[in-house]
Amino acid sequence: MQTNTLSRETLLPLLAAHVLQHGLGGASLRPLAKAAGTSDRMLIYHFGNKQTLVSDLLQYIADIYSAALELAIGETRAQTREECVTRILEQARQPTMQAFLVLWWEIVAGCARDLPGYKDAADKMMAKQLMWLEKLMPEDDPDPAGGTRYLMTIIEGALMLNVVGHSRTAQEGLMAGDLASGPSPS
Amino acid sequence: MQTNTLSRETLLPLLAAHVLQHGLGGASLRPLAKAAGTSDRMLIYHFGNKQTLVSDLLQYIADIYSAALELAIGETRAQTREECVTRILEQARQPTMQAFLVLWWEIVAGCARDLPGYKDAADKMMAKQLMWLEKLMPEDDPDPAGGTRYLMTIIEGALMLNVVGHSRTAQEGLMAGDLASGPSPS
DNA sequence: ATAGTTATGTAGCGAGTGCTACATGCACTG
DNA sequence: CAGTGCATGTAGCACTCGCTACATAACTAT
């Protein structure tokens, strides 16, 4: 039953590797095909056209991103919200995650322009990240669901500031953000 | 002194208008030239090559973004940090700002890929936004500088979540974020 | 064995890419 | 008036783009 024939399934990992390294927007069929050891002819044959190739690829990348998060999930919950943020930001600095992060902003830009397939992938990745963060939240947090979303907002903001060279702004913002405690009782 | 001759200065507004509408990444010389009423030949003549055209264009766009913020600046400070956030997010929903926002994520993606000229433009735009926000901060805020950066982080995170279709996540995050008060005394 | 489906190679099409060669008008200067 | 440099038009180059036509091998079903 084991054949050497190419298929979407065997192609996608190789395509994903190329895209993670060289970007998604500028990716054209021939370089993609070369990276996968085929021809543009075969990519069109297996995916129909470039757009569905990109959509399928985005879905696949979202999946392996989820898997990467699954692997990186800590066995222990954080003690404080602040630790949540620092642990996640630290994990985002890992070289493994770097390629994902660079690609992520391209996906966000694609979402902003409503490119087909982008929003679905972004949604999947965000959902996974939310789940991941929720599992990391301190056990005794007074508002785990809301707190997760609050921290997620802060983390994404910090990641963005990092990428545009304002990591200092993010850092100072986090320090001023009073994350050590949970929300104050109202 | 008034001549009809084209120049970078007369070209840039027209180019910027085109880019704000159609995006930056996929912009190629001939459509750009058409939008500016010239030929690709002339664009290269005035800018030397496409890369410096894009860099100059990014600078120009950062400038008009600054001008737009200048115009939109409120005469009154906000009363609370929460009002800061809601006023800015509301302003980001304005149609005028929409085109900037879409382009912004393309600029962020360009920063992540280290494309030449992108980081400079992003830096200029971020600096202006920080200044704008600082002017909006409540008069009696206990930590205006840190608070500005904290809110900026949150705002950018919320904008990103909006763009990928997780505006609900951002909204719930903001509600859980305890922004009504300043930082609690430690 | 024959017919049909599936997978692949070769070649190329028409459109678009950034950029250049070349010619020409035009204003200005000697 | 000759010369010089700037601004612009026309044409095209070498290349890449997504995609297709066509041939053909390999396997499968009858």
Side-chain angles (χ1 to χ4, degrees):
Chain A
M1 198 51 194
Q2 180 261 14
T3 68
N4 258 353
T5 76
L6 284 290
S7 69
R8 283 168 224 238
E9 286 67 37
T10 63
L11 251 11
L12 281 173
L14 302 166
L15 296 176
H18 180 264
V19 158
L20 276 169
Q21 196 170 1
H22 298 95
L24 189 47
S28 52
L29 288 183
R30 270 169 264 246
L32 279 172
K34 195 173 202 175
T38 350
S39 61
D40 54 335
R41 165 75 181 73
M42 279 296 101
L43 293 185
I44 297 293
Y45 176 73
H46 282 296
F47 292 93
N49 52 52
K50 193 192 178 186
Q51 181 184 299
T52 69
L53 184 154
V54 169
S55 296
D56 289 5
L57 193 44
L58 281 170
Q59 281 300 311
Y60 179 76
I61 286 172
D63 285 340
I64 61 177
Y65 174 76
S66 292
L69 277 192
E70 205 75 52
L71 273 182
I73 199 162
E75 60 295 338
T76 64
R77 284 175 174 274
Q79 298 290 331
T80 64
R81 288 186 172 188
E82 191 183 20
E83 192 194 334
C84 274
V85 173
T86 54
R87 266 171 71 173
I88 288 200
L89 290 183
E90 180 189 348
Q91 191 228 346
R93 260 190 301 274
Q94 302 270 333
T96 322
M97 281 293 148
Q98 216 60 27
F100 277 112
L101 217 48
V102 174
L103 192 61
W104 169 250
W105 298 111
E106 212 167 337
I107 294 176
V108 173
C111 288
R113 288 233 176 263
D114 253 328
L115 302 186
Y118 280 67
K119 235 160 200 161
D120 288 339
D123 185 56
K124 191 182 278 189
M125 294 168 88
M126 278 303 311
K128 188 72 185 185
Q129 211 171 334
L130 264 175
M131 209 156 59
W132 195 78
L133 176 53
E134 197 148 14
K135 278 189 189 156
L136 186 63
M137 285 285 280
E139 196 106 45
D140 58 347
D141 194 274
D143 177 14
T148 299
R149 281 145 188 82
Y150 169 59
L151 292 192
M152 184 61 79
T153 309
I154 286 185
I155 288 164
E156 301 298 343
L159 288 177
M160 195 266 253
L161 289 171
N162 281 345
V163 123
V164 300
H166 271 251
S167 40
R168 230 181 100 169
T169 300
Q171 213 171 332
E172 293 170 1
L174 290 182
M175 286 180 55
D178 192 33
L179 288 171
S181 63
S184 58
S186 55
Chain B
M1 200 49 194
Q2 179 258 15
T3 68
N4 257 354
T5 76
L6 283 291
S7 69
R8 284 169 222 240
E9 286 66 36
T10 62
L11 251 12
L12 281 173
L14 302 166
L15 298 176
H18 180 263
V19 158
L20 277 169
Q21 196 170 2
H22 298 95
L24 191 45
S28 53
L29 288 183
R30 269 170 266 245
L32 279 172
K34 196 172 201 176
T38 348
S39 61
D40 56 333
R41 166 73 181 73
M42 279 295 102
L43 292 185
I44 297 294
Y45 176 72
H46 283 295
F47 293 93
N49 53 50
K50 192 190 178 186
Q51 182 184 300
T52 69
L53 185 154
V54 169
S55 297
D56 289 6
L57 194 44
L58 280 170
Q59 281 300 311
Y60 179 76
I61 287 171
D63 285 340
I64 61 176
Y65 174 76
S66 292
L69 277 193
E70 204 76 53
L71 272 181
I73 199 164
E75 60 296 338
T76 64
R77 286 176 173 273
Q79 299 291 331
T80 65
R81 288 185 171 188
E82 192 183 20
E83 192 194 334
C84 274
V85 173
T86 53
R87 267 171 71 174
I88 288 199
L89 289 182
E90 181 189 347
Q91 192 229 346
R93 260 191 300 275
Q94 300 270 333
T96 322
M97 282 294 148
Q98 217 60 28
F100 277 112
L101 218 48
V102 175
L103 191 60
W104 169 250
W105 297 111
E106 213 167 335
I107 294 176
V108 172
C111 288
R113 287 233 176 265
D114 252 329
L115 303 186
Y118 280 68
K119 235 160 199 161
D120 288 338
D123 184 56
K124 189 182 278 190
M125 293 169 87
M126 279 303 312
K128 188 72 186 185
Q129 212 171 333
L130 264 176
M131 208 156 59
W132 195 78
L133 176 53
E134 197 145 14
K135 278 190 189 155
L136 187 65
M137 285 285 280
E139 195 107 45
D140 58 347
D141 194 274
D143 178 12
T148 299
R149 280 145 189 82
Y150 169 59
L151 292 192
M152 184 60 78
T153 308
I154 287 185
I155 289 165
E156 300 298 345
L159 287 177
M160 195 266 253
L161 289 171
N162 281 346
V163 122
V164 300
H166 270 251
S167 40
R168 231 181 99 171
T169 301
Q171 212 171 334
E172 293 169 1
L174 290 182
M175 286 179 54
D178 192 34
L179 287 172
S181 64
S184 59
S186 57

